[in-house]
Amino acid sequence: MSIKPIKKVMGKGVPILGDDIDTDRIIPARYLKCVTFDGIGEFAFYDERFDSDGKPKNHPLNDNRFKDASIIIAGNNFGCGSSREHAPQSIKRAGFSAIIAESFAEIFYGNSTTLGLVCVTLSNDEIVELAKTVEANPNIQIEIDIEGEVIRAGDKVYKCGIKPSTKKSLLDGEYDSLGVLLKNMDKVKEVEKNLPYSFA
Amino acid sequence: MGKNLFQKVWDIHKVADLPGGRTQLFIGLHLIHEVTSPQAFAMIKELGLKVAYPDRTFATCDHIIPTDNISRPFADSMAEEMMQALEKNTKENGITFFGPESGYQGVVHIVGPELGLTQPGITVACGDSHTATHGAFGAIAFGIGTSQVRDVLATQTMALNDLKVRRVEVNGKLKPGVYAKDIILYLIRHLGVNGGIGYAYEFAGSTIENLSMEGRMTVCNMAIEGGARVGYVNPDAKTYDYLKGKKYAPKGEKWDKMLAYWESIKSDKDAEYDDVVVFNAEDIEPMVTWGINPEQGIGISEKLPMGDNPSFKEAYEYMKLKPGAPIKGTKIDVAFIGSCTNGRIEDLREAAKYLKGKKVASHVKALAVPGSATVKAKAEAEGLDKIFIEAGFEWRNPGCSMCLAMNPDKLVGDQICASTSNRNFKGRQGSSSGRTILMSPAMAAAAAVTGEVSDVREVFGLN
């Protein structure tokens, strides 16, 4: 399976700050009732954005200044909780291509990477500064240079964090792991044959 | 230096080193359910691929299934559609499906162990974060997303980054009224919700060893809430006793062969760890959460913590609680005993023991939800259902129920729930302003009876 390498992400940012934003908040459980991910984008952050009557709440994603944003700026432990891939799927289908956070929960990070939703880290101070920059100038273009491991925003340049395996898979266009895994089916059979257990 | 269980099991299941440093790992047991598999089946079908090892894939339904009226079609048409998708996908691919008619249906992490599918030294994957539960048997079990469910269906393998191993040791005797749930809430409070990122947690020490298999499952179940990718306990005689005679457990000569394998994968006495932390069981009292993540927990006799950091502020605003006030005495609206954390027979027995002859406070809606059809049948054979019903609980059918909001069991408005589940996130129980206080089944029984967050030791006279 050939997929397009991702070397750079460019776009406007939206700060969705706060720590431990869990996948229940990214997509409430009631919107997991689906047999495909189509249309799931409109439910991203639903309960954070709308009250129980469906009226918009005070949330950055309801702020007109950030309506064209494609990069989320977030805090610590983003995407913790449930392993539901519906969370990164909804973010991606809502039009986002990257998340810059202080840290990510493990499963969310892996799920996002597989979809080509770029996740990179900055320190707390840098996140705060970047968020301030974006607040002051929502139209500023943020550039995430994966190869160089840097984020540029206006005259600021930040060294960002990315796992070496993630970096490589994005640059090689192999972030969707299935193609790589399928290449080794002979070895898979070998390992299976030597396992002491089966259920049949 | 010796090796720990994680390293040994990892090595046995390793297929290949992948570019960029990841490992292709063989998954010995793939458990699937209705929420995270339909999209994965659609993806492999689209690619013209087949399920690689249907004999290593088992399905049940848990998240969306109603716990009151399970007659088909389900009242919720979307739930019905998901159920039908699972029925069709398992049938088309020759996968065993433990649906309601099988007599084995239930929460996937309860069904796997009680059927003997979950065994020491195996790798498990399931599209649900609480897959860590299976680590109680000395399995390495990963909660995964839908793309990985697709990968496992198509290849029986996944691409994974290696993990460091932290030995989390708890030693000593638990005080009366303190359970496995209190241990894990205590550990997460001290190690943090993201303290385990990049780690597997090996739970060890005399306290963990003295827990029943069910208690160990409760601890491992919530390893993920501490940020750890997996949690496990080394297998021992208790593990083997639990497995013996189970439907899918090895039998006869195969049992002896497997026993040798299980013994061989245990952490060596001189095993190396990336990190070791040690706790004392006597420091743990019955725990409750007060905030919006599982790290925000305190002992029942403590006062709500002070502190003006943003996460505390957010938690207090949402929970409508006051810093410095006692948590004890907080009025509750709902009590829920169930979920993959605490929906096992031992949990129901413990709660029923306390509830016998007592009444649920008149303003409380109380639900007892067995984790599986097997648990339900056992509980009914022991007369536990009668105890719950006489106390004023609703006795339901197996499912995830009020742990999350994918079935009709939901909080309304800003109701507070004394819950034996695993997550107190904002909106977790189905209302965007609903509030969750996590606790053990014994503590939930106490809260149900008094109508407020209470100390199980005081309510039921333990000392």
Side-chain angles (χ1 to χ4, degrees):
Chain A
M1 295 197 312
S2 71
I3 38 178
K4 218 172 137 218
I6 300 176
K7 297 192 164 142
K8 255 182 202 170
V9 178
M10 297 273 287
K12 295 177 192 172
V14 53
I16 305 180
L17 298 179
D19 294 341
D20 307 316
I21 293 185
D22 56 72
T23 52
D24 274 83
R25 280 160 77 177
I26 296 170
I27 182 151
R30 61 186 184 280
Y31 300 119
L32 310 189
K33 279 193 226 153
C34 55
V35 290
T36 75
F37 290 125
D38 299 346
I40 207 171
E42 63 183 288
F43 303 120
F45 295 95
Y46 191 88
D47 288 344
E48 308 267 296
R49 297 176 64 187
F50 302 100
D51 67 15
S52 47
D53 300 325
K55 291 206 187 77
K57 294 204 269 196
N58 183 16
H59 190 273
L61 291 176
N62 292 336
D63 189 331
N64 254 335
R65 293 180 302 151
F66 303 125
K67 72 174 177 7
D68 302 326
S70 60
I71 298 174
I72 291 172
I73 302 162
N76 197 17
N77 200 25
F78 188 83
C80 59
S82 167
S83 63
R84 64 186 69 151
E85 192 166 301
H86 306 65
Q89 287 276 6
S90 71
I91 289 176
K92 197 174 174 223
R93 285 160 196 260
F96 292 95
S97 47
I99 305 164
I100 305 170
E102 198 184 331
S103 70
F104 294 90
E106 201 114 7
I107 301 176
F108 179 87
Y109 183 91
N111 286 345
S112 299
T113 302
T114 307
L115 304 180
L117 178 64
V118 172
C119 293
V120 291
T121 57
L122 287 182
S123 71
N124 180 272
D125 292 346
E126 290 166 329
I127 291 280
V128 170
E129 191 180 86
L130 182 61
K132 271 190 191 152
T133 307
V134 170
E135 284 277 352
N137 180 5
N139 286 322
I140 200 164
Q141 281 289 320
I142 300 172
E143 181 193 293
I144 305 172
D145 172 358
I146 292 158
E147 185 135 48
E149 296 183 34
V150 293
I151 295 173
R152 295 184 190 91
D155 55 358
K156 297 275 185 206
V157 181
Y158 305 99
K159 180 89 188 150
C160 67
I162 185 164
K163 275 185 193 163
S165 56
T166 306
K167 178 179 170 177
K168 187 165 167 47
S169 66
L170 289 170
L171 294 176
D172 293 349
E174 288 189 332
Y175 47 89
D176 183 347
S177 36
L178 185 54
V180 186
L181 299 176
L182 282 166
K183 284 182 198 159
N184 295 325
M185 286 315 284
D186 287 349
K187 286 186 201 157
V188 171
K189 287 191 188 92
E190 205 54 31
V191 169
E192 204 267 347
K193 212 175 68 195
N194 290 324
L195 281 185
Y197 63 95
S198 66
F199 305 98
Chain B
M1 280 302 228
K3 281 182 171 179
N4 59 52
L5 179 144
F6 178 84
Q7 294 159 338
K8 292 187 196 183
V9 176
W10 181 273
D11 289 347
I12 290 165
H13 292 82
K14 184 175 186 163
V15 173
D17 290 314
L18 298 177
R22 287 194 295 174
T23 296
Q24 182 168 1
L25 199 73
F26 190 85
I27 299 304
L29 173 66
H30 188 198
L31 301 169
I32 60 173
H33 59 88
E34 74 283 9
V35 181
T36 52
S37 71
Q39 307 87 349
F41 278 109
M43 292 179 212
I44 63 162
K45 201 169 187 177
E46 204 171 297
L47 294 165
L49 298 167
K50 282 203 161 67
V51 176
Y53 290 92
D55 289 348
R56 292 186 179 273
T57 315
F58 295 85
T60 189
C61 51
D62 49 12
H63 287 64
I64 53 108
I65 199 162
T67 62
D68 46 3
N69 183 1
I70 53 166
S71 59
R72 299 285 297 275
F74 297 143
D76 178 343
S77 61
M78 202 59 234
E80 176 63 27
E81 195 181 327
M82 293 166 83
M83 184 70 168
Q84 284 182 15
L86 186 61
E87 287 167 335
K88 182 169 171 279
N89 287 328
T90 49
K91 200 172 172 200
E92 275 180 9
N93 291 284
I95 293 166
T96 306
F97 174 44
F98 301 116
E101 272 95 63
S102 71
Y104 295 113
Q105 173 265 331
V107 184
V108 64
H109 310 308
I110 293 187
V111 171
E114 72 189 6
L115 289 177
L117 287 165
T118 307
Q119 298 172 16
I122 74 171
T123 47
V124 185
C126 174
D128 185 277
S129 40
H130 293 103
T131 307
T133 311
H134 306 270
F137 292 78
I140 299 300
F142 299 92
I144 56 177
T146 296
S147 296
Q148 283 179 309
V149 172
R150 173 206 60 183
D151 289 356
V152 180
L153 288 175
T155 70
Q156 203 64 27
T157 68
M158 308 196 300
L160 285 159
N161 282 302
D162 198 359
L163 295 172
K164 292 185 279 188
V165 183
R166 173 177 294 148
R167 184 174 156 94
V168 181
E169 216 175 282
V170 189
N171 294 306
K173 200 167 179 290
L174 290 171
K175 289 191 219 161
V178 180
Y179 297 91
K181 184 65 162 288
D182 303 301
I183 298 176
I184 189 64
L185 287 173
Y186 181 86
L187 294 176
I188 295 168
R189 178 194 188 177
H190 288 276
L191 298 171
V193 281
N194 55 10
I197 291 181
Y199 280 98
Y201 278 177
E202 174 175 302
F203 296 106
S206 63
T207 317
I208 302 291
E209 283 162 21
N210 285 329
L211 288 176
S212 63
M213 285 314 292
E214 316 219 324
R216 293 177 190 180
M217 281 189 253
T218 300
V219 171
C220 290
N221 173 273
M222 287 186 70
I224 191 80
E225 306 303 337
R229 187 73 204 265
V230 302
Y232 69 88
V233 178
N234 274 293
D236 60 10
K238 209 179 276 180
T239 319
Y240 313 144
D241 283 350
Y242 179 99
L243 275 169
K244 199 138 207 176
K246 296 270 191 289
K247 188 174 165 73
Y248 287 91
K251 300 188 173 63
E253 267 176 41
K254 205 170 168 210
W255 173 271
D256 297 330
K257 199 181 131 212
M258 285 304 291
L259 195 60
Y261 171 64
W262 298 340
E263 281 290 301
S264 75
I265 50 90
K266 283 159 77 159
S267 292
D268 293 328
K269 288 254 180 309
D270 60 347
E272 216 171 337
Y273 297 91
D274 297 282
D275 191 15
V276 179
V277 288
V278 182
F279 296 91
N280 186 352
E282 282 161 25
D283 296 339
I284 308 174
E285 65 165 340
M287 297 285 296
V288 287
T289 58
W290 58 269
I292 51 171
N293 70 51
E295 177 186 322
Q296 293 171 330
I298 51 172
I300 184 64
S301 61
E302 288 180 64
K303 292 204 162 87
L304 291 164
M306 308 298 279
D308 55 1
N309 66 58
S311 68
F312 274 33
K313 199 168 157 261
E314 192 185 356
Y316 279 124
E317 266 171 27
Y318 185 82
M319 294 298 288
K320 299 176 183 154
L321 296 172
K322 287 204 169 50
I327 184 84
K328 200 160 75 180
T330 304
K331 202 178 156 214
I332 64 150
D333 304 297
V334 177
F336 167 58
I337 298 178
S339 84
C340 60
T341 317
N342 283 124
R344 284 175 276 273
I345 187 68
E346 187 181 276
D347 301 311
L348 298 181
R349 279 183 194 141
E350 204 61 41
K353 184 180 92 186
Y354 293 122
L355 288 167
K356 195 165 189 174
K358 303 281 194 307
K359 287 278 179 218
V360 170
S362 59
H363 68 276
V364 172
K365 176 188 170 78
L367 260 69
V369 187
S372 70
T374 309
V375 170
K376 185 169 189 255
K378 242 186 225 174
E380 288 174 355
E382 295 175 20
L384 305 185
D385 56 328
K386 288 193 183 64
I387 298 174
F388 279 108
I389 292 164
E390 275 163 25
F393 269 78
E394 295 176 26
W395 179 250
R396 295 292 190 88
N397 290 304
C400 294
S401 184
M402 248 208 200
C403 177
L404 89 175
M406 287 202 67
N407 56 73
D409 304 342
K410 292 177 171 64
L411 294 184
V412 179
D414 68 352
Q415 279 184 327
I416 303 190
C417 181
S419 180
T420 63
S421 55
N422 39 55
R423 282 181 177 150
N424 52 344
F425 297 156
K426 284 180 169 184
R428 170 72 179 180
Q429 292 188 282
S431 162
S432 57
S433 51
R435 295 170 287 168
T436 305
I437 297 183
L438 301 176
M439 58 186 75
S440 72
M443 285 286 282
V449 167
T450 60
E452 56 189 42
V453 177
S454 304
D455 189 334
V456 61
R457 299 169 298 188
E458 289 167 10
V459 178
F460 302 120
L462 307 177
N463 35 56

